[in-house]
Amino acid sequence: MGTVVYDRVALIGLGLIAGSMSLAMRKAGLAGEIVGHARSAETRDIAREIGLVDRITETAAEAVQDADLIVLAVPVGVMGAVAAEIAPHLKPGATVTDVGSVKQAVIEAVSPHIPAGVHFIPGHPLAGTEHSGPRSGFATLFRNRWWLLTPVGGSEPAAVERLAMLIRTMGANVEEMDAAHHDLVLAVTSHTPHLIAYTMVGVADHLKRITESEVIKYSAAGFRDFTRIAASDPTMWRDVFLQNKDAVLDILGRFTEELFVLQRAIRMGDGAHLHDYFTRTRAIRRGIIEAGQDTAAPDFGRSLTEPPGKS
Amino acid sequence: MGTVVYDRVALIGLGLIAGSMSLAMRKAGLAGEIVGHARSAETRDIAREIGLVDRITETAAEAVQDADLIVLAVPVGVMGAVAAEIAPHLKPGATVTDVGSVKQAVIEAVSPHIPAGVHFIPGHPLAGTEHSGPRSGFATLFRNRWWLLTPVGGSEPAAVERLAMLIRTMGANVEEMDAAHHDLVLAVTSHTPHLIAYTMVGVADHLKRITESEVIKYSAAGFRDFTRIAASDPTMWRDVFLQNKDAVLDILGRFTEELFVLQRAIRMGDGAHLHDYFTRTRAIRRGIIEAGQDTAAPDFGRSLTEPPGKS
């Protein structure tokens, strides 16, 4: 076992991220005790049944008692309410972090409730799957993924370093970033792509000339990756769009402009424009593979159970 | 080895699909001799070097000499020209098929050149990866994938059944479909998703406030699947959009309408609308997993080299 970084960790919310954190911290021996709370009695029951954390409490206030690290792992729309509820029960010197996909709105909602002497260090692990709930976590979720921290004025460097050490030991790479910049970057790399995928899947669902079974049968041709994205947790994503409204609307506007230019090229038969555009986007993919964020394995259109092999 | 279905097969074009067909036919012993031709001398050299087919010819006309099955595996924009070139050299009783992603335009371009006594059976394997070229093929590419045939008036049932047998033995599932319906279904499940992915990757590339290295570093959060799609062969996709113009423009119009409704819900803060929409799209994903076209493994945001495991 490794070195204990926090004697007691409280996880508020017991979904994919909190569950994976518990399993990763336990595996590496990073916490003395892991306490958990979820608002739903069903989630608490499942977490208890599978032993996801060391102890389950009925209230968030109880969970944070004497905790050295408190992780807010709830949809971003309820971060403020949870912060208000736990604030009177926080131990002086404790660190509060969150794992929300939006940072400015969470900081605005949570900061006012944090008492003096408690460190608030907003965070966002860029890790996840299309599954959610207490059974969806696994210890290796964060391995080789980025975990962005957006410290606010007054985040004590020693407290930030301690949290970063915990995160690194769970396998992730830590990077600090300004909250506004975070929200713009994520609008491009995550939020808008999710909205677009949701939209495309919705279009397919509405088309009466194509049966649902045809859409499903022939999904391997490109659509499949969209449906995977569009299967993500509806509550989490509703809140992300509402809480990162400005950046998402900005990027959506640019997306629509760009799409109209390509649409016009198709209508006009401007093959040279299309070919140039597709050649440039191909180069970006190469950059991602070189940066180690994906493999060059020909996954597209294939299933994980049948890794392709030269033969 | 299995039963030889065609004594001599000619592959015109030696990219991902033709290469995979050669490897799959060879593995199953389905062809007496596999002859190949590619327009580019470099492609022919590579194919010769890696022994992709049994014999390489300098011209398409030479390749189809005495061939019992001719496979047009070139971008859909040049199918007509290739058909015109090979037509005088086709053996009576031979079957010509193609593997283009668009069917109506290919039928219009190719049919007029097919001599009486030769069977033309248009086809489309729904299989591929984001890689292209003579080195990208592998024998299992078609396993458990759909291969759509869109026979034209006068496609002889016995000739269709013979081709279907070859395809099934390469591991794919055969289904017959009307060419116009094919083009609409594919516009939804493949062509429009590709255009959208290309667009989103292009938007990211243009944003000056975000560095390219940031886009690449943080791509795991949803954008990565888009970049994989947007890395597909530019020439093939240019032709697909130009040749399936009507269906793609129809679906793009619906997509934009739908996107504007969701965009308005974000602007207005209509969380209920967003949540309902995202809940419906999640159900479609479940259908795809149940149909065996993907696994429920939590691949999203993960790399193939690290399959997630509960621990």
Side-chain angles (χ1 to χ4, degrees):
Chain A
M1 302 300 265
T3 312
V4 168
V5 180
Y6 294 99
D7 280 334
R8 181 175 292 172
V9 175
L11 302 171
I12 310 300
L14 292 170
L16 170 67
I17 298 293
S20 297
M21 286 184 72
S22 182
L23 297 169
M25 288 188 291
R26 191 179 276 170
K27 198 175 178 187
L30 299 172
E33 188 190 19
I34 303 171
V35 186
H37 167 75
R39 201 182 43 173
S40 135
E42 192 195 344
T43 300
R44 294 198 300 270
D45 285 347
I46 295 171
R48 202 176 281 119
E49 180 199 325
I50 64 176
L52 191 63
V53 294
D54 301 327
R55 185 158 55 87
I56 303 267
T57 65
E58 297 299 299
T59 66
E62 239 179 298
V64 307
Q65 293 283 353
D66 273 324
D68 303 287
L69 174 68
I70 297 92
V71 181
L72 307 180
V74 296
V76 291
V78 295
M79 291 278 185
V82 171
E85 190 184 340
I86 62 170
H89 309 281
L90 294 170
K91 183 165 85 169
T95 290
V96 174
T97 189
D98 78 294
V99 298
S101 307
V102 175
K103 297 273 58 80
Q104 289 177 107
V106 168
I107 291 170
E108 276 167 37
V110 171
S111 284
H113 301 291
I114 302 293
V118 169
H119 310 286
F120 177 42
I121 309 170
H124 179 203
L126 305 193
T129 75
E130 66 275 32
H131 301 306
S132 50
R135 293 188 196 277
S136 61
F138 51 96
T140 57
L141 176 65
F142 309 111
R143 196 174 286 169
N144 201 28
R145 296 296 156 219
W146 292 98
W147 194 308
L148 304 177
L149 296 178
T150 62
V152 289
S155 294
E156 207 175 86
V160 174
E161 189 36 53
R162 190 175 172 193
L163 178 60
M165 190 201 301
L166 179 91
I167 293 169
R168 283 192 213 101
T169 317
M170 289 191 296
N173 304 310
V174 176
E175 194 127 300
E176 289 187 30
M177 196 182 268
D178 169 72
H181 191 65
H182 167 279
D183 289 355
L184 179 65
V185 170
L186 269 288
V188 172
T189 58
S190 173
H191 306 170
T192 307
H194 270 80
L195 193 75
I196 287 166
Y198 277 122
T199 305
M200 189 63 225
V201 173
V203 167
D205 190 36
H206 289 165
L207 262 184
K208 298 292 173 236
R209 277 174 297 163
I210 301 181
T211 66
E212 190 183 306
S213 74
E214 283 176 322
V215 169
I216 290 170
K217 267 167 84 171
Y218 308 127
S219 68
F223 189 64
R224 209 188 54 173
D225 287 335
F226 280 60
T227 68
R228 185 184 294 134
I229 296 176
S232 304
D233 184 54
T235 304
M236 171 189 157
W237 283 98
R238 175 199 64 198
D239 284 6
V240 165
F241 296 122
L242 297 180
Q243 304 289 329
N244 198 20
K245 181 190 289 200
D246 293 345
V248 169
L249 292 178
D250 173 13
I251 302 305
L252 271 177
R254 291 161 183 273
F255 172 82
T256 314
E257 274 170 35
E258 200 89 6
L259 185 63
F260 283 163
V261 173
L262 288 174
Q263 185 169 324
R264 184 170 177 281
I266 293 173
R267 202 180 295 279
M268 300 298 196
D270 185 351
H273 181 91
L274 297 173
H275 193 273
D276 282 359
Y277 201 96
F278 302 164
T279 303
R280 281 202 307 276
T281 57
R282 192 174 221 193
I284 297 180
R285 172 71 184 166
R286 216 169 294 131
I288 288 176
I289 291 167
E290 283 162 13
Q293 288 298 299
D294 202 0
T295 70
D299 172 62
F300 184 79
R302 307 292 302 167
S303 106
L304 273 181
T305 52
E306 304 175 62
K310 303 269 177 184
S311 54
Chain B
M1 303 301 265
T3 312
V4 169
V5 180
Y6 294 99
D7 280 335
R8 182 175 292 175
V9 175
L11 302 172
I12 310 300
L14 292 170
L16 171 67
I17 298 293
S20 297
M21 286 184 70
S22 182
L23 297 169
M25 287 188 293
R26 190 179 277 170
K27 197 176 177 184
L30 298 172
E33 186 190 22
I34 302 171
V35 185
H37 168 75
R39 199 182 45 171
S40 135
E42 193 195 343
T43 300
R44 293 197 301 270
D45 286 346
I46 294 171
R48 202 175 281 120
E49 179 199 325
I50 64 176
L52 191 62
V53 295
D54 301 329
R55 185 159 55 88
I56 303 266
T57 65
E58 296 299 300
T59 67
E62 239 179 297
V64 308
Q65 295 281 356
D66 272 325
D68 304 286
L69 175 68
I70 297 91
V71 182
L72 308 180
V74 296
V76 291
V78 295
M79 291 277 185
V82 171
E85 190 183 340
I86 61 170
H89 310 279
L90 295 169
K91 181 166 86 170
T95 290
V96 174
T97 189
D98 77 295
V99 298
S101 306
V102 174
K103 296 273 61 78
Q104 288 178 107
V106 168
I107 291 169
E108 276 167 39
V110 171
S111 284
H113 301 291
I114 302 293
V118 169
H119 310 286
F120 177 42
I121 309 170
H124 179 204
L126 305 192
T129 75
E130 66 275 30
H131 300 306
S132 51
R135 293 188 196 276
S136 62
F138 50 97
T140 58
L141 177 65
F142 308 111
R143 194 174 288 169
N144 200 28
R145 296 294 156 221
W146 292 98
W147 195 308
L148 303 178
L149 296 178
T150 61
V152 289
S155 294
E156 207 175 87
V160 174
E161 189 35 53
R162 190 174 172 196
L163 178 60
M165 191 202 299
L166 178 90
I167 294 170
R168 283 193 211 100
T169 317
M170 291 192 293
N173 304 310
V174 176
E175 194 129 303
E176 289 186 29
M177 196 182 270
D178 170 72
H181 191 65
H182 167 280
D183 289 355
L184 179 66
V185 169
L186 269 289
V188 172
T189 58
S190 173
H191 306 169
T192 308
H194 270 78
L195 193 75
I196 288 167
Y198 278 121
T199 306
M200 189 63 226
V201 173
V203 168
D205 190 35
H206 290 163
L207 261 183
K208 297 293 174 239
R209 278 175 297 163
I210 301 181
T211 65
E212 191 183 307
S213 74
E214 282 176 322
V215 168
I216 290 169
K217 267 167 86 173
Y218 308 127
S219 67
F223 189 64
R224 209 188 52 173
D225 287 335
F226 280 58
T227 67
R228 185 183 295 131
I229 296 175
S232 304
D233 185 53
T235 304
M236 169 188 158
W237 282 98
R238 175 199 64 197
D239 284 5
V240 165
F241 295 122
L242 297 180
Q243 304 289 328
N244 198 21
K245 183 191 288 201
D246 293 344
V248 168
L249 291 177
D250 173 15
I251 301 305
L252 270 178
R254 291 162 184 271
F255 172 82
T256 313
E257 275 170 34
E258 200 90 5
L259 185 63
F260 282 163
V261 173
L262 288 175
Q263 186 169 325
R264 185 171 177 279
I266 293 173
R267 204 183 291 281
M268 300 297 197
D270 186 351
H273 181 90
L274 296 173
H275 193 273
D276 282 1
Y277 201 96
F278 301 163
T279 303
R280 281 202 307 277
T281 56
R282 192 175 221 191
I284 296 177
R285 172 71 184 168
R286 216 169 293 131
I288 289 175
I289 292 167
E290 283 162 11
Q293 287 300 298
D294 200 2
T295 69
D299 171 62
F300 183 80
R302 306 293 303 166
S303 109
L304 274 180
T305 52
E306 308 173 58
K310 303 268 177 184
S311 54

